[in-house]
Amino acid sequence: DAKTTQPNSMESNEEEPVHLPCNHSTISGTDYIHWYRQLPSQGPEYVIHGLTSNVNNRMASLAIAEDRKSSTLILHRATLRDAAVYYCILGGEATGTASKLTFGTGTRLQVTL
Amino acid sequence: NAGVTQTPKFRVLKTGQSMTLLCAQDMNHEYMYWYRQDPGMGLRLIHYSVGEGTTAKGEVPDGYNVSRLKKQNFLLGLESAAPSQTSVYFCASNRGVYNEQFFGPGTRLTVL
């Protein structure tokens, strides 16, 4: 299985942009890049996903390197509610056997006033 | 629209006891999943289902059984609980392989 590497923790000031990096040098051509986050004492929550092109939604943006060996989740204006563990996951197997996501330990984002 | 719900929220068992965790979703999703999360760790897939009447093993299936008799429900059973099964259990569902997974609030299980 392709693996991802993320920093253990990051800090940000409120109202500033946050760039969360993820390395996935062994990604295969059919692997989607998923981002989920987990707020304290809650289940994970979907953030965004993409394959090759950069993606935007109401929560965040996903910037994918041209060689797809790395990606960056961008929170445009961090708020205290964005403090969570962010997981970068490769998945979405094109085998019809469900999207078996493999969660690593993620990046713990702290947001301060 | 309640999304994904889990019952119970908390449970304490003694070693050797059995129990069933219930996951229900009202989004008509085909796929359902059971994960466990140990302290300071990411989630690990226990079992999953690609449709009513089907189940399959995930990364850590030993000591657990599952059933999907109805499309909206996915049950996780522990036949003989062990302290190593102390964890937080999350259920999730999604519409298809490339679709986002929706997670429940979790069940915190302690086995003494």
Side-chain angles (χ1 to χ4, degrees):
Chain A
D1 288 345
K3 294 181 64 175
T4 62
T5 304
Q6 301 177 252
N8 288 333
S9 63
M10 292 184 64
E11 290 186 17
S12 174
N13 294 322
E14 200 177 21
E15 304 291 320
E16 290 186 355
V18 181
H19 290 234
L20 297 165
C22 181
N23 287 323
H24 29 78
S25 58
T26 60
I27 189 171
S28 74
T30 57
D31 280 336
Y32 279 73
I33 302 160
H34 301 259
W35 283 84
Y36 283 75
R37 72 179 185 181
Q38 187 173 21
L39 279 64
S41 301
Q42 294 189 27
E45 172 187 36
Y46 168 82
V47 178
I48 199 167
H49 77 284
L51 184 62
T52 56
S53 303
N54 294 345
V55 185
N56 299 296
N57 66 20
R58 63 175 179 82
M59 289 182 68
S61 295
L62 175 60
I64 302 172
E66 194 168 336
D67 63 6
R68 301 211 325 128
K69 293 185 176 182
S70 65
S71 60
T72 302
L73 178 70
I74 303 166
L75 307 179
H76 296 287
R77 289 179 64 203
T79 69
L80 295 177
R81 293 182 69 250
D82 291 322
V85 178
Y86 286 79
Y87 298 98
C88 170
I89 303 164
L90 303 182
E93 305 161 33
T95 62
T97 59
S99 50
K100 295 186 286 183
L101 303 177
T102 300
F103 287 77
T105 54
T107 296
R108 182 173 298 277
L109 176 65
Q110 292 182 291
V111 181
T112 55
L113 292 171
Chain B
N1 193 337
V4 179
T5 58
Q6 294 184 231
T7 309
K9 289 185 172 52
F10 303 93
R11 185 72 185 269
V12 178
L13 291 179
K14 294 181 180 179
T15 297
Q17 287 185 317
S18 63
M19 78 163 294
T20 300
L21 282 66
L22 170 64
C23 174
Q25 52 93 6
D26 60 2
M27 298 173 282
N28 200 35
H29 285 167
E30 288 294 333
Y31 301 107
M32 296 188 74
Y33 312 81
W34 275 109
Y35 295 87
R36 61 176 288 175
Q37 185 174 34
D38 299 327
M41 305 288 288
L43 280 71
R44 291 183 294 171
L45 183 64
I46 304 171
H47 285 281
Y48 65 98
S49 168
V50 301
E52 183 179 315
T54 74
T55 63
K57 294 180 180 180
E59 181 187 358
V60 288
D62 294 342
Y64 305 95
N65 56 74
V66 287
S67 64
R68 182 104 181 265
L69 299 180
K70 293 183 178 180
K71 185 177 183 178
Q72 64 268 34
N73 295 338
F74 195 27
L75 279 63
L76 178 71
L78 286 73
E79 291 185 348
S80 179
S84 60
Q85 294 177 305
T86 294
S87 190
V88 180
Y89 292 84
F90 290 101
C91 176
S93 71
N94 67 350
R95 196 173 65 223
V97 171
Y98 299 106
N99 299 113
E100 64 181 283
Q101 290 190 17
F102 292 84
F103 284 81
T107 294
R108 187 173 297 274
L109 175 66
T110 301
V111 182
L112 302 175

